[in-house]
Amino acid sequence: VFYAFRAAAGTTWTFSEVDTFSHPNGWRNSRHPKVKVDSAGRPHIAYEYADVSTTPRTYQIRYAYFDGATWQRRSVFSQTGDN
């Protein structure tokens, strides 16, 4: 998961890595990101994480926010199953 922004008067984009998943076959994925920026200009992102390399499969809803210095991440819901 990456976050990118550009200052209102700028022309350069800034990218940061929010969360990363790796699997040689690509069986760990994130999807359906939702982004909101709070009144301090700090981004908050909710997204689904799926790991289909395990049996049973693992699904999570994750939440990440930028605290002004680093990205903070946590799983807010987790479920295992076949779907």
Side-chain angles (χ1 to χ4, degrees):
V1 177
F2 286 87
Y3 176 75
F5 71 94
R6 160 180 86 79
T11 58
T12 303
W13 286 86
T14 301
F15 293 84
S16 64
E17 186 174 295
V18 176
D19 209 348
T20 185
F21 318 105
S22 70
H23 188 278
N25 294 324
W27 291 346
R28 295 182 185 134
N29 298 290
S30 62
R31 57 188 179 185
H32 308 300
K34 304 295 182 211
V35 179
K36 295 289 182 180
V37 178
D38 66 21
S39 60
R42 295 181 178 164
H44 299 253
I45 305 172
Y47 51 98
E48 179 184 329
Y49 164 78
D51 183 348
V52 297
S53 68
T54 60
T55 303
R57 296 174 176 177
T58 301
Y59 301 94
Q60 296 178 353
I61 301 297
R62 291 192 176 183
Y63 167 67
Y65 67 95
F66 189 72
D67 66 8
T70 61
W71 284 98
Q72 303 296 318
R73 298 171 297 278
R74 65 178 173 252
S75 176
V76 295
F77 176 79
S78 186
Q79 177 177 324
T80 57
D82 292 334
N83 293 326

